[in-house]
Amino acid sequence: MYYVQFYQRAVYPIGTTNIIEACGDRSVVILDGRLRPQAMGQIAAAECVKRGYLAWRIFKGESFTRSIPVSQIWYAPATAPVQDPAWLSAHSM
């Protein structure tokens, strides 16, 4: 299973610029594992902006609790074009 985890700004301590994982049913999107990494990134970036989150990261695993990150954290709007990322070869995907 592949999924996108979205991130939001932490509220404590006041004035922080740290980001934390968002929670709730709108904070993740399950991706089709047959998609190319570039397509996964495009879907993740579009949903991140649409849902009003600050950043996103792609995870892979058997479940939400048994998964590992397979991409870096990308900020929305993406600061670099979403292309075939380096994590593709680094994680034997």
Side-chain angles (χ1 to χ4, degrees), residues 23-47:
C23 56
D25 65 331
R26 305 288 295 164
S27 68
V28 295
V29 171
I30 297 174
L31 299 168
D32 185 341
R34 298 171 292 180
L35 294 174
R36 293 186 5 221
Q38 181 179 3
M40 288 183 188
Q42 290 170 340
I43 291 168
E47 285 295 318

Side-chain angles (χ1 to χ4, degrees), residues 77-88:
T79 55
V82 178
Q83 298 176 351
D84 288 330
W87 55 265
L88 174 64

